[in-house]
Amino acid sequence: MQGTVDGFSYGLVTPVTAYLMACLGGALGLRCTTRSLLVAHSWRPGWLALGSAAIGSGIWTMHFIAMMGFSVEEAPIYYDKALTFASLAVAIVMVGIGIFIVGYRGATGTALFTGGTITGLGVATMHYLGMAGMRLRGTLEYNTLTVSASVVIAVVAATAALWAAAQVRGFLWSLGASLVMGLAVTGMHYTGMAALSVHLHGSSAAPSGGDSAAELLAPMMIGPLAFLLLAGVIVMFDPLMVMGKADLQSAAQGQRAPYPVPRSGDRHDPRAGRRPPQHPDSRTPQSW
């Protein structure tokens, strides 16, 4: 017996909220990735790790908010807690691998292809691992062609997002990229859901070993959302928000600024008034 699947039980509330969460995680993650190109080498892993966690948390939260609107008319749905939170770990780790590749290799063709593929596969793995954690009185079946399309969407979206993150062009650039990324990730989710059909079993007994979507909502919202809020505060109050144009130009060229740009009125900086060296051969060891 085929189950009656409804992915929009609450109308547009869940897809719109899910999209906004994907955009929030993407905006923070891309901004952190961009910042990693503007800081000293020793600070780069921290920014890249924060960006990975932000994007992974945003995508995971998007998925399960969207799943709040998913129902099978003939059977209640429960979720395996271990698989549900394992999907969060997979999202953060695989997104992190892709971001670290681009963060250290730059926006070269090979780095973008490798990092985008790994990140996109991580998004798709998170989605289908989360779906594997569903417990209901039936069997989940997928259309292979539609699943393949969802994976392609995830890979293309991840590659485009990583390319955008490597372009040091300010906050509005990252914001626009995050809106596109959120649209692509949400589109990937609903494409994957379109591939799903449910074959119900004859037994009317409720499945064991799972929690309802409502029981998972509280930890899902409190944990990742609190982290996203913290990441937003870190990005908002980062000193590089007020960095000088010379630093931005150096970062856009794939370099660190030779030294901090002295502020007007800083009379104690012995280097105040010095111009940065114009040729690589003229740099002193202290200016690298």
PDB file of all heavy atoms in Angstrom, residues 107-142:
ATOM      1  N   ALA A 107      40.912  30.021  -5.021  1.00  0.00           N
ATOM      2  CA  ALA A 107      39.810  29.724  -5.947  1.00  0.00           C
ATOM      3  C   ALA A 107      40.329  29.246  -7.292  1.00  0.00           C
ATOM      4  O   ALA A 107      39.914  29.734  -8.358  1.00  0.00           O
ATOM      5  CB  ALA A 107      38.931  30.959  -6.124  1.00  0.00           C
ATOM      6  N   THR A 108      41.235  28.275  -7.276  1.00  0.00           N
ATOM      7  CA  THR A 108      41.707  27.668  -8.518  1.00  0.00           C
ATOM      8  C   THR A 108      40.689  26.640  -8.999  1.00  0.00           C
ATOM      9  O   THR A 108      39.837  26.185  -8.229  1.00  0.00           O
ATOM     10  CB  THR A 108      43.069  26.991  -8.306  1.00  0.00           C
ATOM     11  OG1 THR A 108      42.908  25.909  -7.349  1.00  0.00           O
ATOM     12  CG2 THR A 108      44.085  27.987  -7.758  1.00  0.00           C
ATOM     13  N   GLY A 109      40.781  26.294 -10.263  1.00  0.00           N
ATOM     14  CA  GLY A 109      39.823  25.342 -10.816  1.00  0.00           C
ATOM     15  C   GLY A 109      39.832  24.011 -10.093  1.00  0.00           C
ATOM     16  O   GLY A 109      38.776  23.458  -9.764  1.00  0.00           O
ATOM     17  N   THR A 110      41.033  23.490  -9.826  1.00  0.00           N
ATOM     18  CA  THR A 110      41.136  22.194  -9.150  1.00  0.00           C
ATOM     19  C   THR A 110      40.590  22.255  -7.732  1.00  0.00           C
ATOM     20  O   THR A 110      39.847  21.365  -7.293  1.00  0.00           O
ATOM     21  CB  THR A 110      42.602  21.729  -9.112  1.00  0.00           C
ATOM     22  OG1 THR A 110      43.109  21.653 -10.442  1.00  0.00           O
ATOM     23  CG2 THR A 110      42.713  20.365  -8.444  1.00  0.00           C
ATOM     24  N   ALA A 111      40.936  23.319  -6.998  1.00  0.00           N
ATOM     25  CA  ALA A 111      40.471  23.448  -5.612  1.00  0.00           C
ATOM     26  C   ALA A 111      38.960  23.600  -5.560  1.00  0.00           C
ATOM     27  O   ALA A 111      38.294  22.997  -4.710  1.00  0.00           O
ATOM     28  CB  ALA A 111      41.146  24.641  -4.940  1.00  0.00           C
ATOM     29  N   LEU A 112      38.396  24.411  -6.456  1.00  0.00           N
ATOM     30  CA  LEU A 112      36.945  24.604  -6.459  1.00  0.00           C
ATOM     31  C   LEU A 112      36.220  23.315  -6.829  1.00  0.00           C
ATOM     32  O   LEU A 112      35.197  22.975  -6.225  1.00  0.00           O
ATOM     33  CB  LEU A 112      36.561  25.711  -7.444  1.00  0.00           C
ATOM     34  CG  LEU A 112      36.841  27.142  -6.987  1.00  0.00           C
ATOM     35  CD1 LEU A 112      36.549  28.119  -8.121  1.00  0.00           C
ATOM     36  CD2 LEU A 112      36.014  27.490  -5.757  1.00  0.00           C
ATOM     37  N   PHE A 113      36.741  22.599  -7.808  1.00  0.00           N
ATOM     38  CA  PHE A 113      36.099  21.341  -8.216  1.00  0.00           C
ATOM     39  C   PHE A 113      36.147  20.326  -7.083  1.00  0.00           C
ATOM     40  O   PHE A 113      35.127  19.707  -6.744  1.00  0.00           O
ATOM     41  CB  PHE A 113      36.775  20.776  -9.461  1.00  0.00           C
ATOM     42  CG  PHE A 113      36.248  19.426  -9.873  1.00  0.00           C
ATOM     43  CD1 PHE A 113      35.047  19.321 -10.554  1.00  0.00           C
ATOM     44  CD2 PHE A 113      36.940  18.260  -9.562  1.00  0.00           C
ATOM     45  CE1 PHE A 113      34.547  18.080 -10.929  1.00  0.00           C
ATOM     46  CE2 PHE A 113      36.452  17.018  -9.927  1.00  0.00           C
ATOM     47  CZ  PHE A 113      35.248  16.931 -10.614  1.00  0.00           C
ATOM     48  N   THR A 114      37.324  20.172  -6.471  1.00  0.00           N
ATOM     49  CA  THR A 114      37.470  19.194  -5.387  1.00  0.00           C
ATOM     50  C   THR A 114      36.665  19.602  -4.164  1.00  0.00           C
ATOM     51  O   THR A 114      35.887  18.820  -3.603  1.00  0.00           O
ATOM     52  CB  THR A 114      38.951  19.044  -4.998  1.00  0.00           C
ATOM     53  OG1 THR A 114      39.714  18.710  -6.154  1.00  0.00           O
ATOM     54  CG2 THR A 114      39.116  17.957  -3.947  1.00  0.00           C
ATOM     55  N   GLY A 115      36.851  20.855  -3.736  1.00  0.00           N
ATOM     56  CA  GLY A 115      36.138  21.321  -2.550  1.00  0.00           C
ATOM     57  C   GLY A 115      34.638  21.353  -2.758  1.00  0.00           C
ATOM     58  O   GLY A 115      33.869  20.971  -1.865  1.00  0.00           O
ATOM     59  N   GLY A 116      34.184  21.810  -3.928  1.00  0.00           N
ATOM     60  CA  GLY A 116      32.753  21.860  -4.210  1.00  0.00           C
ATOM     61  C   GLY A 116      32.123  20.484  -4.270  1.00  0.00           C
ATOM     62  O   GLY A 116      31.000  20.277  -3.791  1.00  0.00           O
ATOM     63  N   THR A 117      32.853  19.527  -4.844  1.00  0.00           N
ATOM     64  CA  THR A 117      32.319  18.166  -4.919  1.00  0.00           C
ATOM     65  C   THR A 117      32.182  17.554  -3.530  1.00  0.00           C
ATOM     66  O   THR A 117      31.148  16.963  -3.190  1.00  0.00           O
ATOM     67  CB  THR A 117      33.238  17.288  -5.788  1.00  0.00           C
ATOM     68  OG1 THR A 117      33.306  17.825  -7.109  1.00  0.00           O
ATOM     69  CG2 THR A 117      32.705  15.856  -5.858  1.00  0.00           C
ATOM     70  N   ILE A 118      33.214  17.703  -2.704  1.00  0.00           N
ATOM     71  CA  ILE A 118      33.162  17.141  -1.349  1.00  0.00           C
ATOM     72  C   ILE A 118      32.072  17.821  -0.533  1.00  0.00           C
ATOM     73  O   ILE A 118      31.292  17.155   0.173  1.00  0.00           O
ATOM     74  CB  ILE A 118      34.532  17.283  -0.662  1.00  0.00           C
ATOM     75  CG1 ILE A 118      35.570  16.418  -1.370  1.00  0.00           C
ATOM     76  CG2 ILE A 118      34.441  16.894   0.813  1.00  0.00           C
ATOM     77  CD1 ILE A 118      36.978  16.597  -0.848  1.00  0.00           C
ATOM     78  N   THR A 119      31.994  19.156  -0.621  1.00  0.00           N
ATOM     79  CA  THR A 119      30.974  19.876   0.136  1.00  0.00           C
ATOM     80  C   THR A 119      29.577  19.497  -0.326  1.00  0.00           C
ATOM     81  O   THR A 119      28.672  19.267   0.490  1.00  0.00           O
ATOM     82  CB  THR A 119      31.185  21.391  -0.009  1.00  0.00           C
ATOM     83  OG1 THR A 119      32.482  21.741   0.476  1.00  0.00           O
ATOM     84  CG2 THR A 119      30.135  22.166   0.779  1.00  0.00           C
ATOM     85  N   GLY A 120      29.366  19.432  -1.639  1.00  0.00           N
ATOM     86  CA  GLY A 120      28.059  19.057  -2.160  1.00  0.00           C
ATOM     87  C   GLY A 120      27.656  17.645  -1.770  1.00  0.00           C
ATOM     88  O   GLY A 120      26.503  17.393  -1.401  1.00  0.00           O
ATOM     89  N   LEU A 121      28.614  16.724  -1.822  1.00  0.00           N
ATOM     90  CA  LEU A 121      28.317  15.356  -1.388  1.00  0.00           C
ATOM     91  C   LEU A 121      28.017  15.317   0.102  1.00  0.00           C
ATOM     92  O   LEU A 121      27.204  14.499   0.556  1.00  0.00           O
ATOM     93  CB  LEU A 121      29.494  14.436  -1.727  1.00  0.00           C
ATOM     94  CG  LEU A 121      29.731  14.168  -3.222  1.00  0.00           C
ATOM     95  CD1 LEU A 121      30.971  13.299  -3.420  1.00  0.00           C
ATOM     96  CD2 LEU A 121      28.511  13.485  -3.850  1.00  0.00           C
ATOM     97  N   GLY A 122      28.665  16.202   0.864  1.00  0.00           N
ATOM     98  CA  GLY A 122      28.370  16.273   2.295  1.00  0.00           C
ATOM     99  C   GLY A 122      26.945  16.734   2.549  1.00  0.00           C
ATOM    100  O   GLY A 122      26.249  16.193   3.416  1.00  0.00           O
ATOM    101  N   VAL A 123      26.487  17.737   1.783  1.00  0.00           N
ATOM    102  CA  VAL A 123      25.108  18.211   1.921  1.00  0.00           C
ATOM    103  C   VAL A 123      24.124  17.093   1.573  1.00  0.00           C
ATOM    104  O   VAL A 123      23.143  16.858   2.287  1.00  0.00           O
ATOM    105  CB  VAL A 123      24.877  19.442   1.030  1.00  0.00           C
ATOM    106  CG1 VAL A 123      23.407  19.844   1.031  1.00  0.00           C
ATOM    107  CG2 VAL A 123      25.739  20.611   1.491  1.00  0.00           C
ATOM    108  N   ALA A 124      24.395  16.400   0.467  1.00  0.00           N
ATOM    109  CA  ALA A 124      23.505  15.317   0.055  1.00  0.00           C
ATOM    110  C   ALA A 124      23.525  14.166   1.063  1.00  0.00           C
ATOM    111  O   ALA A 124      22.483  13.585   1.381  1.00  0.00           O
ATOM    112  CB  ALA A 124      23.909  14.807  -1.328  1.00  0.00           C
ATOM    113  N   THR A 125      24.723  13.845   1.585  1.00  0.00           N
ATOM    114  CA  THR A 125      24.826  12.771   2.575  1.00  0.00           C
ATOM    115  C   THR A 125      24.057  13.123   3.834  1.00  0.00           C
ATOM    116  O   THR A 125      23.368  12.274   4.423  1.00  0.00           O
ATOM    117  CB  THR A 125      26.300  12.504   2.914  1.00  0.00           C
ATOM    118  OG1 THR A 125      27.002  12.154   1.725  1.00  0.00           O
ATOM    119  CG2 THR A 125      26.429  11.376   3.925  1.00  0.00           C
ATOM    120  N   MET A 126      24.171  14.382   4.263  1.00  0.00           N
ATOM    121  CA  MET A 126      23.420  14.824   5.432  1.00  0.00           C
ATOM    122  C   MET A 126      21.921  14.634   5.216  1.00  0.00           C
ATOM    123  O   MET A 126      21.215  14.124   6.098  1.00  0.00           O
ATOM    124  CB  MET A 126      23.719  16.302   5.704  1.00  0.00           C
ATOM    125  CG  MET A 126      22.981  16.915   6.888  1.00  0.00           C
ATOM    126  SD  MET A 126      21.269  17.443   6.538  1.00  0.00           S
ATOM    127  CE  MET A 126      21.518  18.599   5.195  1.00  0.00           C
ATOM    128  N   HIS A 127      21.448  15.007   4.039  1.00  0.00           N
ATOM    129  CA  HIS A 127      20.021  14.895   3.739  1.00  0.00           C
ATOM    130  C   HIS A 127      19.547  13.449   3.806  1.00  0.00           C
ATOM    131  O   HIS A 127      18.581  13.117   4.512  1.00  0.00           O
ATOM    132  CB  HIS A 127      19.746  15.474   2.349  1.00  0.00           C
ATOM    133  CG  HIS A 127      18.337  15.265   1.885  1.00  0.00           C
ATOM    134  ND1 HIS A 127      17.311  16.133   2.179  1.00  0.00           N
ATOM    135  CD2 HIS A 127      17.775  14.271   1.139  1.00  0.00           C
ATOM    136  CE1 HIS A 127      16.185  15.694   1.650  1.00  0.00           C
ATOM    137  NE2 HIS A 127      16.448  14.570   1.002  1.00  0.00           N
ATOM    138  N   TYR A 128      20.234  12.572   3.100  1.00  0.00           N
ATOM    139  CA  TYR A 128      19.759  11.187   3.015  1.00  0.00           C
ATOM    140  C   TYR A 128      20.052  10.392   4.277  1.00  0.00           C
ATOM    141  O   TYR A 128      19.334   9.433   4.584  1.00  0.00           O
ATOM    142  CB  TYR A 128      20.338  10.514   1.764  1.00  0.00           C
ATOM    143  CG  TYR A 128      19.739  11.095   0.500  1.00  0.00           C
ATOM    144  CD1 TYR A 128      20.455  11.953  -0.320  1.00  0.00           C
ATOM    145  CD2 TYR A 128      18.415  10.810   0.157  1.00  0.00           C
ATOM    146  CE1 TYR A 128      19.887  12.506  -1.462  1.00  0.00           C
ATOM    147  CE2 TYR A 128      17.838  11.356  -0.981  1.00  0.00           C
ATOM    148  CZ  TYR A 128      18.575  12.208  -1.771  1.00  0.00           C
ATOM    149  OH  TYR A 128      17.988  12.761  -2.891  1.00  0.00           O
ATOM    150  N   LEU A 129      21.082  10.783   5.030  1.00  0.00           N
ATOM    151  CA  LEU A 129      21.300  10.145   6.330  1.00  0.00           C
ATOM    152  C   LEU A 129      20.197  10.564   7.296  1.00  0.00           C
ATOM    153  O   LEU A 129      19.696   9.737   8.086  1.00  0.00           O
ATOM    154  CB  LEU A 129      22.667  10.530   6.888  1.00  0.00           C
ATOM    155  CG  LEU A 129      23.078   9.879   8.211  1.00  0.00           C
ATOM    156  CD1 LEU A 129      23.088   8.356   8.077  1.00  0.00           C
ATOM    157  CD2 LEU A 129      24.451  10.378   8.650  1.00  0.00           C
ATOM    158  N   GLY A 130      19.806  11.833   7.245  1.00  0.00           N
ATOM    159  CA  GLY A 130      18.685  12.275   8.060  1.00  0.00           C
ATOM    160  C   GLY A 130      17.402  11.555   7.696  1.00  0.00           C
ATOM    161  O   GLY A 130      16.585  11.207   8.566  1.00  0.00           O
ATOM    162  N   MET A 131      17.200  11.309   6.399  1.00  0.00           N
ATOM    163  CA  MET A 131      16.020  10.569   5.961  1.00  0.00           C
ATOM    164  C   MET A 131      16.084   9.118   6.433  1.00  0.00           C
ATOM    165  O   MET A 131      15.051   8.518   6.761  1.00  0.00           O
ATOM    166  CB  MET A 131      15.913  10.609   4.437  1.00  0.00           C
ATOM    167  CG  MET A 131      15.679  11.995   3.863  1.00  0.00           C
ATOM    168  SD  MET A 131      14.121  12.715   4.401  1.00  0.00           S
ATOM    169  CE  MET A 131      12.960  11.615   3.604  1.00  0.00           C
ATOM    170  N   ALA A 132      17.305   8.550   6.473  1.00  0.00           N
ATOM    171  CA  ALA A 132      17.453   7.174   6.953  1.00  0.00           C
ATOM    172  C   ALA A 132      17.101   7.057   8.421  1.00  0.00           C
ATOM    173  O   ALA A 132      16.786   5.966   8.910  1.00  0.00           O
ATOM    174  CB  ALA A 132      18.881   6.685   6.710  1.00  0.00           C
ATOM    175  N   GLY A 133      17.160   8.185   9.153  1.00  0.00           N
ATOM    176  CA  GLY A 133      16.794   8.165  10.559  1.00  0.00           C
ATOM    177  C   GLY A 133      15.298   8.202  10.801  1.00  0.00           C
ATOM    178  O   GLY A 133      14.866   8.145  11.956  1.00  0.00           O
ATOM    179  N   MET A 134      14.500   8.312   9.746  1.00  0.00           N
ATOM    180  CA  MET A 134      13.041   8.311   9.901  1.00  0.00           C
ATOM    181  C   MET A 134      12.548   6.919  10.268  1.00  0.00           C
ATOM    182  O   MET A 134      13.018   5.913   9.729  1.00  0.00           O
ATOM    183  CB  MET A 134      12.357   8.777   8.616  1.00  0.00           C
ATOM    184  CG  MET A 134      12.563  10.240   8.296  1.00  0.00           C
ATOM    185  SD  MET A 134      11.840  10.697   6.702  1.00  0.00           S
ATOM    186  CE  MET A 134      10.126  10.221   6.951  1.00  0.00           C
ATOM    187  N   ARG A 135      11.608   6.840  11.178  1.00  0.00           N
ATOM    188  CA  ARG A 135      10.999   5.581  11.592  1.00  0.00           C
ATOM    189  C   ARG A 135       9.485   5.700  11.392  1.00  0.00           C
ATOM    190  O   ARG A 135       8.838   6.572  11.965  1.00  0.00           O
ATOM    191  CB  ARG A 135      11.306   5.284  13.066  1.00  0.00           C
ATOM    192  CG  ARG A 135      12.787   5.145  13.359  1.00  0.00           C
ATOM    193  CD  ARG A 135      13.327   3.836  12.797  1.00  0.00           C
ATOM    194  NE  ARG A 135      14.744   3.670  13.084  1.00  0.00           N
ATOM    195  CZ  ARG A 135      15.718   3.972  12.234  1.00  0.00           C
ATOM    196  NH1 ARG A 135      15.404   4.475  11.036  1.00  0.00           N
ATOM    197  NH2 ARG A 135      16.979   3.778  12.550  1.00  0.00           N
ATOM    198  N   LEU A 136       8.955   4.860  10.538  1.00  0.00           N
ATOM    199  CA  LEU A 136       7.519   4.833  10.316  1.00  0.00           C
ATOM    200  C   LEU A 136       7.122   3.434   9.880  1.00  0.00           C
ATOM    201  O   LEU A 136       7.974   2.588   9.587  1.00  0.00           O
ATOM    202  CB  LEU A 136       7.100   5.868   9.269  1.00  0.00           C
ATOM    203  CG  LEU A 136       7.448   5.599   7.791  1.00  0.00           C
ATOM    204  CD1 LEU A 136       6.588   6.487   6.906  1.00  0.00           C
ATOM    205  CD2 LEU A 136       8.919   5.850   7.511  1.00  0.00           C
ATOM    206  N   ARG A 137       5.836   3.193   9.852  1.00  0.00           N
ATOM    207  CA  ARG A 137       5.298   1.887   9.509  1.00  0.00           C
ATOM    208  C   ARG A 137       5.299   1.697   7.994  1.00  0.00           C
ATOM    209  O   ARG A 137       4.278   1.631   7.336  1.00  0.00           O
ATOM    210  CB  ARG A 137       3.886   1.761  10.074  1.00  0.00           C
ATOM    211  CG  ARG A 137       3.219   0.407   9.878  1.00  0.00           C
ATOM    212  CD  ARG A 137       1.868   0.365  10.555  1.00  0.00           C
ATOM    213  NE  ARG A 137       1.031   1.520  10.254  1.00  0.00           N
ATOM    214  CZ  ARG A 137       0.243   1.608   9.176  1.00  0.00           C
ATOM    215  NH1 ARG A 137       0.201   0.636   8.296  1.00  0.00           N
ATOM    216  NH2 ARG A 137      -0.493   2.694   8.979  1.00  0.00           N
ATOM    217  N   GLY A 138       6.528   1.648   7.457  1.00  0.00           N
ATOM    218  CA  GLY A 138       6.634   1.505   6.019  1.00  0.00           C
ATOM    219  C   GLY A 138       8.088   1.544   5.569  1.00  0.00           C
ATOM    220  O   GLY A 138       9.023   1.620   6.371  1.00  0.00           O
ATOM    221  N   THR A 139       8.270   1.497   4.257  1.00  0.00           N
ATOM    222  CA  THR A 139       9.598   1.492   3.647  1.00  0.00           C
ATOM    223  C   THR A 139       9.732   2.699   2.730  1.00  0.00           C
ATOM    224  O   THR A 139       8.818   3.001   1.951  1.00  0.00           O
ATOM    225  CB  THR A 139       9.821   0.206   2.828  1.00  0.00           C
ATOM    226  OG1 THR A 139       9.621  -0.931   3.671  1.00  0.00           O
ATOM    227  CG2 THR A 139      11.227   0.174   2.247  1.00  0.00           C
ATOM    228  N   LEU A 140      10.876   3.392   2.841  1.00  0.00           N
ATOM    229  CA  LEU A 140      11.137   4.543   1.979  1.00  0.00           C
ATOM    230  C   LEU A 140      11.732   4.062   0.660  1.00  0.00           C
ATOM    231  O   LEU A 140      12.673   3.266   0.643  1.00  0.00           O
ATOM    232  CB  LEU A 140      12.096   5.518   2.654  1.00  0.00           C
ATOM    233  CG  LEU A 140      11.703   6.027   4.043  1.00  0.00           C
ATOM    234  CD1 LEU A 140      12.749   7.018   4.544  1.00  0.00           C
ATOM    235  CD2 LEU A 140      10.331   6.674   4.016  1.00  0.00           C
ATOM    236  N   GLU A 141      11.201   4.550  -0.438  1.00  0.00           N
ATOM    237  CA  GLU A 141      11.703   4.204  -1.765  1.00  0.00           C
ATOM    238  C   GLU A 141      12.015   5.492  -2.520  1.00  0.00           C
ATOM    239  O   GLU A 141      11.302   6.495  -2.388  1.00  0.00           O
ATOM    240  CB  GLU A 141      10.668   3.376  -2.528  1.00  0.00           C
ATOM    241  CG  GLU A 141      10.314   2.061  -1.830  1.00  0.00           C
ATOM    242  CD  GLU A 141       9.170   1.331  -2.513  1.00  0.00           C
ATOM    243  OE1 GLU A 141       8.499   1.952  -3.376  1.00  0.00           O
ATOM    244  OE2 GLU A 141       8.949   0.149  -2.179  1.00  0.00           O
ATOM    245  N   TYR A 142      13.106   5.466  -3.319  1.00  0.00           N
ATOM    246  CA  TYR A 142      13.562   6.670  -4.004  1.00  0.00           C
ATOM    247  C   TYR A 142      13.654   6.437  -5.505  1.00  0.00           C
ATOM    248  O   TYR A 142      14.030   5.346  -5.958  1.00  0.00           O
ATOM    249  CB  TYR A 142      14.939   7.108  -3.491  1.00  0.00           C
ATOM    250  CG  TYR A 142      14.944   7.573  -2.054  1.00  0.00           C
ATOM    251  CD1 TYR A 142      15.250   6.688  -1.018  1.00  0.00           C
ATOM    252  CD2 TYR A 142      14.645   8.884  -1.734  1.00  0.00           C
ATOM    253  CE1 TYR A 142      15.263   7.109   0.301  1.00  0.00           C
ATOM    254  CE2 TYR A 142      14.656   9.319  -0.416  1.00  0.00           C
ATOM    255  CZ  TYR A 142      14.965   8.427   0.593  1.00  0.00           C
ATOM    256  OH  TYR A 142      14.968   8.841   1.897  1.00  0.00           O
TER     257      TYR A 142
END
